[in-house]
């Protein structure tokens, strides 16, 4: 079991997206234009961390002066604080290999993207997310706030370089997992008791349900879509719902384990509900002028449920609904302890 | 499992407290220059739509200091002719900044979070330095001295655009201290949470909170 967990972590940390980076036409100052830059973007990494090598590649063709560098895919400015793998899973309905991105050295869209001052901003964003995840899991951020400067630097260096062993050296001290069905977060003392074969499990969080840090990216695609490759590109970020909401582990009556479907049903109820009343509530929001049929059959309800959620991707893997949620959370989370889930839903608007 | 505990607030309590704030704000005789708070429901995200949304106080006008400096600065960029002919128009235009404040519930930290932005009447967004020039000296003092209030630029959870925000990671700590003082009933505490929270964060961003907000009618 521990070996399988180790293998999953290595694959997640080693995951990469092949990138083909093109210099934006307006930023080209050499003739002929430079060839695109080919590289691998770590799934758990961030686009701004690639800027030094990209700059080196295009150095002969860049406009003079310094401005904030940014990336674009099919007209959409890319959020630098979202991990590369998540952007890829969300924006490429059909995985595009290599993924063609455009890099800009001018005209930072500051009304769309938060400011970015290079590596320092990415590090701050990562530490911020880690602090937030720590708060979710333990009820406070103290284990991160109390890290020494040396440990913070070592942790960040490990993330930047994709150094899993270096990361584990520091992160195990934060005591942030793994999540378990009984709602307890395993701590050093709990582990010690288990090794001693104690029948009485210590329950430091007994008064507080365990919460799993989850970030959902919900993308609408055409309702009648049959092939995911026919999805229209994302043209603006307003059409993607970003939901930063932890999932609370609660024992569900009659279930031996919590499925991914159940977790998503809790976090995104309107995309899973087949209840006539809920459907009626959703109608005004969707601008649907059809009359809701209260006598709709259960078979039709099942059809409705199936057509709503078309695809779920985590770390590039399309997951079945019945997979245990805690397995997904423990094995496919990012280095800031967030599980990033891309959800494709069929919508009438698109 | 609702209500106030450990300085945090449940979603239900946030919604109840927000509704109470909106109602109370309208009841008391607030300064005419202060717009009303309004609840903005959102069906964009997952979750029960009747609970999803945020509090908004929008269109707060501020006359900015250093108007002469503003005019001169813009005069240079606009050219002397335009500047000379439209002195009064520019003067009134560049003197006014419009502020929007949003209060959004953080599911992670279980506390309210303040998001805000400001723009000129022509729609151009202000930088943080420009906003700080609008703030009274006591707000600047709070921002520079308190470890609990620092402004960053983050993505607005519902609008998907960068807004200024006060970071919420320490809110539950100081709200716990603040609410410990009061011996009121549990339910009453959750209704008092937002006015108490607003009295602290409002001070940091120059948003005046009438004293009557804290009194029961």
């Amino acid at each position: 079991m521990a070996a399988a967990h180790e293998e999953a972590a290595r694959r997640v940390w080693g995951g990469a997206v092949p990138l083909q980076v093109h210099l934006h036409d307006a930023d080209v100052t050499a003739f002929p234009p430079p060839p695109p830059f080919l590289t691998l973007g770590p799934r758990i990494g961030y686009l701004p961390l690639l800027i030094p090598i990209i700059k080196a590649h295009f150095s002969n063709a860049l406009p003079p002066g310094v401005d904030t560098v940014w990336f674009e895919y099919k007209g959409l400015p890319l959020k630098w604080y979202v991990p590369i793998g998540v952007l890829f899973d969300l924006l490429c309905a059909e995985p595009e290999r290599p993924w063609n991105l455009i890099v800009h050295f001018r005209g930072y869209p500051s009304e769309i993207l938060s400011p970015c001052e290079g590596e320092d901003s990415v590090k701050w964003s990562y530490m911020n997310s880690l602090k937030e995840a720590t708060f979710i899991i333990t009820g406070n951020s103290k284990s991160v706030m109390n890290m020494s400067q040396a440990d913070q630097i070592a942790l960040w260096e490990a993330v930047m370089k994709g150094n899993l062993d270096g990361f584990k050296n520091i992160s195990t001290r934060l005591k942030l997992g793994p999540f378990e069905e009984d709602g307890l977060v395993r701590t050093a003392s709990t582990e010690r008791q288990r090794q001693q074969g104690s029948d009485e499990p210590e329950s430091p969080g007994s008064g507080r349900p365990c919460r799993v840090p989850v970030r959902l990216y919900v993308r609408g695609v055409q309702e009648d879509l049959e092939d995911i490759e026919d999805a229209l590109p994302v043209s603006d970020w307003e059409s993607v719902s970003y939901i930063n909401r932890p999932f609370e582990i609660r024992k569900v009556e009659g279930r031996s384990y919590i499925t991914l479907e159940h977790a998503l049903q809790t976090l995104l109820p309107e995309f899973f509900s087949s209840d006539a009343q809920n459907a009626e509530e959703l109608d005004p929001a969707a601008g649907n002028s059809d009359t809701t049929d209260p006598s709709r059959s259960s078979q039709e309800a099942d059809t409705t449920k199936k057509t709503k959620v078309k695809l779920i991707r985590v770390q590039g893997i399309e997951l079945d609904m019945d997979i245990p949620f805690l397995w997904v959370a423990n094995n496919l989370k990012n280095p800031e302890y967030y599980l990033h889930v891309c959800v494709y839903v069929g919508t009438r608007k698109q | 499992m609702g209500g106030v505990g450990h300085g945090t607030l449940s979603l239900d309590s946030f919604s109840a407290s927000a509704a109470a704030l909106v109602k109370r704000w309208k009841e008391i005789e607030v300064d005419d220059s202060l717009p009303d708070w309004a609840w903005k429901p959102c069906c964009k995200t997952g979750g029960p739509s009747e609970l999803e949304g945020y509090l908004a106080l929008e269109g707060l006008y501020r006359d900015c200091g250093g108007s002469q400096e503003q005019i001169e600065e813009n005069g240079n960029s606009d050219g002397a002719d335009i500047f000379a002919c439209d002195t009064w128009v520019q003067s009134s235009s560049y003197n006014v900044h419009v502020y929007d404040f949003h209060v959004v519930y953080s599911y992670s930290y279980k506390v309210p979070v303040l998001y805000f932005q400001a723009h000129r009447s022509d729609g151009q967004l202000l930088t943080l330095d420009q906003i700080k020039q609008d703030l009274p000296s006591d707000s600047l003092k709070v921002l520079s001295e308190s470890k609990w209030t620092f402004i960053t630029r983050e993505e607005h959870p519902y609008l998907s655009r960068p807004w200024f925000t006060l970071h919420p990671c320490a809110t539950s700590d100081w709200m716990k201290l603040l609410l410990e003082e009061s011996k009121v009933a549990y339910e009453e505490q959750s209704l008092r949470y937002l006015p108490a929270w607003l009295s602290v964060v409002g001070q940091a961003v120059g948003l005046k909170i009438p004293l009557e907000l804290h009194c029961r009618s």
Side-chain angles (χ1 to χ4, degrees):
Chain A
M1 193 60 185
H5 180 77
E6 180 77 18
E7 174 67 15
R10 297 223 168 260
R11 285 174 177 268
V12 165
W13 275 67
V17 179
L19 304 176
Q20 183 158 253
V21 183
H22 305 256
L23 182 56
H24 182 54
D25 290 344
D27 292 337
V28 175
T29 62
F31 186 82
F37 179 62
L38 281 157
T39 187
L40 288 176
R43 282 192 146 270
I44 59 170
Y46 301 89
L47 286 169
L49 301 180
L50 302 175
I51 288 170
I53 53 171
I54 291 172
K55 251 182 184 178
H57 173 79
F58 290 120
S59 60
N60 291 332
L62 294 181
V66 176
D67 199 355
T68 306
V69 181
W70 58 287
F71 298 84
E72 168 217 324
Y73 175 62
K74 292 186 176 177
L76 182 74
L78 299 182
K79 295 182 177 180
W80 54 266
Y81 39 94
V82 177
I84 292 170
V86 180
L87 290 170
F88 181 64
D89 291 347
L90 174 67
L91 300 177
C92 291
E94 180 74 14
E96 178 184 309
R97 297 190 179 93
W99 190 22
N100 286 282
L101 301 181
I102 295 176
V103 64
H104 296 252
F105 287 82
R106 286 288 179 277
Y108 192 81
S110 56
E111 72 283 356
I112 298 173
L113 300 181
S114 296
C116 180
E117 309 293 328
E119 185 193 319
D120 280 350
S121 295
V122 181
K123 178 187 178 185
W124 196 89
S125 177
Y126 167 80
M127 294 304 295
N128 219 32
S129 294
L130 180 63
K131 239 176 3 181
E132 188 170 339
T134 303
F135 192 102
I136 289 168
I137 297 168
T138 71
N140 62 66
S141 304
K142 287 186 173 64
S143 62
V144 176
M145 304 290 280
N146 293 336
M147 287 177 74
S148 67
Q149 273 298 313
D151 275 357
Q152 283 192 41
I153 292 169
L155 188 74
W156 172 241
E157 291 282 319
V159 172
M160 266 209 302
K161 294 172 179 171
N163 180 357
L164 175 57
D165 292 327
F167 176 80
K168 290 202 299 185
N169 286 343
I170 310 289
S171 63
T172 47
R173 287 182 240 164
L174 302 176
K175 301 189 178 104
L176 297 175
F179 314 107
E180 295 191 359
E181 286 285 345
D182 55 9
L184 300 179
V185 178
R186 181 176 296 167
T187 60
S189 57
T190 305
E191 189 65 23
R192 207 176 307 119
Q193 266 200 2
R194 284 167 185 260
Q195 287 168 1
Q196 292 166 3
S198 170
D199 287 331
E200 289 187 40
E202 184 180 324
S203 53
S206 60
R208 185 178 54 84
C210 169
R211 300 201 296 164
V212 178
V214 179
R215 286 181 175 165
L216 298 161
Y217 307 78
V218 183
R219 170 180 170 174
V221 293
Q222 304 94 290
E223 192 180 37
D224 56 353
L225 198 70
E226 287 189 17
D227 291 319
I228 199 68
E229 64 196 59
D230 296 327
L232 299 173
V234 174
S235 57
D236 60 82
W237 284 108
E238 278 76 17
S239 62
V240 173
S241 292
Y242 167 67
I243 297 153
N244 184 7
R245 186 173 314 176
F247 177 70
E248 245 172 54
I249 304 292
R250 296 184 186 280
K251 267 300 183 184
V252 184
E253 196 72 32
R255 290 174 187 258
S256 56
Y257 62 90
I258 298 168
T259 61
L260 177 61
E261 178 175 24
H262 172 74
L264 292 180
Q265 199 161 5
T266 304
L267 297 171
L268 301 169
E270 81 271 26
F271 295 121
F272 285 86
S273 173
S274 55
D275 184 81
Q277 185 184 350
N278 283 350
E280 201 161 1
E281 281 181 17
L282 286 173
D283 282 349
N288 181 10
S289 59
D290 293 355
T291 306
T292 303
D293 183 6
S295 63
R296 181 165 55 184
S297 67
S298 60
Q299 184 179 353
E300 189 179 341
D302 286 344
T303 305
T304 303
K305 179 192 276 189
K306 283 172 186 167
T307 56
K308 282 287 187 178
V309 174
K310 296 189 176 291
L311 187 70
I312 297 169
R313 274 192 195 134
V314 181
Q315 298 292 357
I317 304 167
E318 296 180 17
L319 297 172
D320 287 339
M321 286 289 204
D322 55 4
I323 193 169
F325 172 74
L326 288 182
W327 184 93
V328 176
N330 280 320
N331 291 285
L332 302 182
K333 62 179 181 287
N334 272 46
E336 83 287 50
Y337 287 83
Y338 264 94
L339 181 69
H340 297 262
V341 184
C342 297
V343 185
Y344 285 64
V345 299
T347 58
R348 210 175 292 259
K349 299 178 197 173
Q350 203 98 10
Chain B
M1 182 67 79
V4 178
H6 306 291
T8 57
L9 195 65
S10 70
L11 175 64
D12 287 353
S13 295
F14 171 76
S15 302
S17 194
L21 176 63
V22 169
K23 184 166 176 286
R24 184 75 183 135
W25 194 270
K26 282 174 179 164
E27 285 170 358
I28 62 186
E29 298 286 329
V30 298
D31 193 325
D32 280 345
S33 66
L34 274 175
D36 281 340
W37 286 97
W39 179 257
K40 301 245 179 178
C42 292
C43 297
K44 177 180 182 250
T45 60
S49 57
E50 64 270 20
L51 280 182
E52 200 75 25
Y54 58 92
L55 263 181
L57 183 147
E58 293 180 342
L60 175 68
Y61 283 83
R62 276 183 185 153
D63 287 328
C64 55
S67 56
Q68 187 61 36
E69 191 176 358
Q70 291 277 350
I71 292 173
E72 285 173 352
E73 185 178 348
N74 285 281
N76 290 337
S77 60
D78 289 343
D81 288 347
I82 298 176
F83 173 69
C85 295
D86 299 326
T87 300
W88 291 109
V89 174
Q90 284 191 38
S91 176
S92 64
S93 171
Y94 292 124
N95 263 327
V96 177
H97 292 161
V98 186
Y99 281 76
D100 297 331
F101 297 94
H102 291 174
V103 181
V104 181
Y105 182 74
S106 166
Y107 288 91
S108 302
Y109 291 104
K110 295 184 179 175
V111 296
V113 183
L114 180 72
Y115 289 85
F116 65 100
Q117 67 173 11
H119 53 87
R120 295 193 229 266
S121 51
D122 62 3
Q124 184 184 339
L125 290 174
L126 301 190
T127 65
L128 182 54
D129 286 342
Q130 288 168 326
I131 287 174
K132 283 183 172 176
Q133 286 174 32
D134 285 350
L135 294 179
S137 56
D138 58 321
S139 292
L140 295 172
K141 188 177 164 74
V142 168
L143 286 174
S144 62
E145 290 183 7
S146 174
K147 63 177 183 179
W148 287 341
T149 55
F150 63 96
I151 297 177
T152 59
R153 197 155 167 78
E154 304 288 335
E155 181 175 313
H156 190 297
Y158 292 111
L159 304 183
S160 298
R161 284 169 179 258
W163 279 53
F164 293 109
T165 182
L166 290 171
H167 204 273
C169 63
T171 300
S172 58
D173 290 334
W174 54 260
M175 281 303 295
K176 191 199 298 186
L177 295 176
L178 208 57
L179 295 174
E180 264 170 14
E181 300 298 319
S182 63
K183 304 281 200 311
V184 297
Y186 205 60
E187 183 180 314
E188 180 89 353
Q189 250 193 15
S190 71
L191 289 182
R192 282 172 175 255
Y193 190 107
L194 267 183
W197 171 85
L198 208 45
S199 68
V200 175
V201 303
Q203 188 182 6
V205 296
L207 181 57
K208 292 177 292 182
I209 307 301
L211 283 177
E212 295 95 321
L213 196 62
H214 303 287
C215 307
R216 269 279 140 191
S217 59

